[in-house]
Amino acid sequence: SKIEIDKVKNEHLILCPECDEVYQFQKSNEQEKAKCHVCHHTLYRGSSNLMTLRLLVISGLILFIPAMFEPILKIFMVGSHLETSALGSIAAFVTSRYWPIAIVVFIFTFFVPLARLLMYSTIVFPLPFINKYLGKEFIKYLHPSAEWAMLDVYFLAVLVTVTKLVDTGEVYFTLGTVSYLLIMINNTLIFTHTHYDELWRRMYERN
């Protein structure tokens, strides 16, 4: 009948990627979620997850500046005062001609994390021109690049330095330390809230 045909047109078939169960799903509320009754895999997440990603990307871009440019540590030892930022340590490696270390630290602790935040900004925000010409290209690199953002490895090296110097001098944490910790948490939250199938679907809905 005409009513049944109209109903089918307004519904979408969703295939569960975990157990291959097929559902007819009619979206009625952007805030609702849909789960598979067999394996309980989330099939649809609504707009709440996308809004969370937007907030995380904005906060990540704001935190990135103090995390990289503000001193991470202040050290007072034998009358001398030392402080360095993440970019300052890269510059120190360059000055000391430790080129391989400088390149590795720059790529994994500065370039990749910043590039991922910028790629996310071209995807999660509804900007038609940017979504069409940049977002569709960058979304392919989100998942592979996740393993190359190594903010935690750099911070672990900082902690090792602190444990070695704490007995011979005074070590103080700064705004840069807090910002770096927060951007590490931010990076983890972005990774856990990213659902690539949902991002792809949103991208093609806009275009």
Side-chain angles (χ1 to χ4, degrees), residues 150-166:
M150 300 185 181
L151 294 167
D152 53 340
V153 176
Y154 179 82
F155 194 75
L156 182 62
V158 172
L159 291 180
V160 171
T161 303
V162 170
T163 57
K164 289 184 177 181
L165 296 177
V166 70

Side-chain angles (χ1 to χ4, degrees), residues 27-205:
K27 182 174 66 173
S28 59
N29 185 352
E30 282 291 336
Q31 302 300 322
E32 67 186 356
K33 293 184 180 181
K35 288 190 175 184
C36 176
H37 292 294
V38 178
C39 65
H40 305 292
H41 180 77
T42 302
L43 304 175
Y44 178 79
R45 297 174 181 85
S47 61
S48 58
N49 185 71
L50 192 61
M51 183 59 67
T52 302
L53 274 178
R54 289 172 183 169
L55 293 173
L56 287 172
V57 169
I58 292 173
S59 60
L61 289 171
I62 294 172
L63 287 169
F64 192 85
I65 297 173
M68 293 295 149
F69 292 93
E70 288 290 325
I72 294 181
L73 290 177
K74 287 186 177 181
I75 303 171
F76 295 89
M77 184 171 55
V78 196
S80 61
H81 171 217
L82 302 173
E83 62 180 44
T84 185
S85 62
L87 277 183
S89 64
I90 296 173
F93 285 131
V94 172
T95 304
S96 302
R97 298 183 181 276
Y98 293 116
W99 296 103
I101 299 176
I103 293 172
V104 169
V105 174
F106 175 78
I107 291 175
F108 296 134
T109 64
F110 184 87
F111 178 76
V112 173
L114 179 59
R116 281 177 55 78
L117 287 171
L118 294 176
M119 285 192 291
Y120 268 103
S121 66
T122 67
I123 296 166
V124 299
F125 295 101
L127 306 169
F129 181 81
I130 295 177
N131 294 155
K132 183 176 181 180
Y133 294 101
L134 294 177
K136 282 187 177 179
E137 291 298 320
F138 289 154
I139 196 172
K140 297 183 291 186
Y141 302 104
L142 281 184
H143 186 62
S145 64
E147 300 178 357
W148 297 95
M150 300 185 181
L151 294 167
D152 53 340
V153 176
Y154 179 82
F155 194 75
L156 182 62
V158 172
L159 291 180
V160 171
T161 303
V162 170
T163 57
K164 289 184 177 181
L165 296 177
V166 70
D167 292 331
T168 58
E170 298 179 1
V171 180
Y172 295 94
F173 295 111
T174 64
L175 173 64
T177 313
V178 177
S179 300
Y180 201 94
L181 279 171
L182 290 176
I183 203 171
M184 282 174 54
I185 297 171
N186 178 275
N187 186 63
T188 303
L189 289 174
I190 288 178
F191 179 77
T192 56
H193 281 82
T194 298
H195 304 282
Y196 299 101
D197 55 338
E198 190 71 18
L199 290 181
W200 275 108
R201 187 183 65 78
R202 293 280 180 175
M203 187 68 65
Y204 278 95
E205 281 181 354

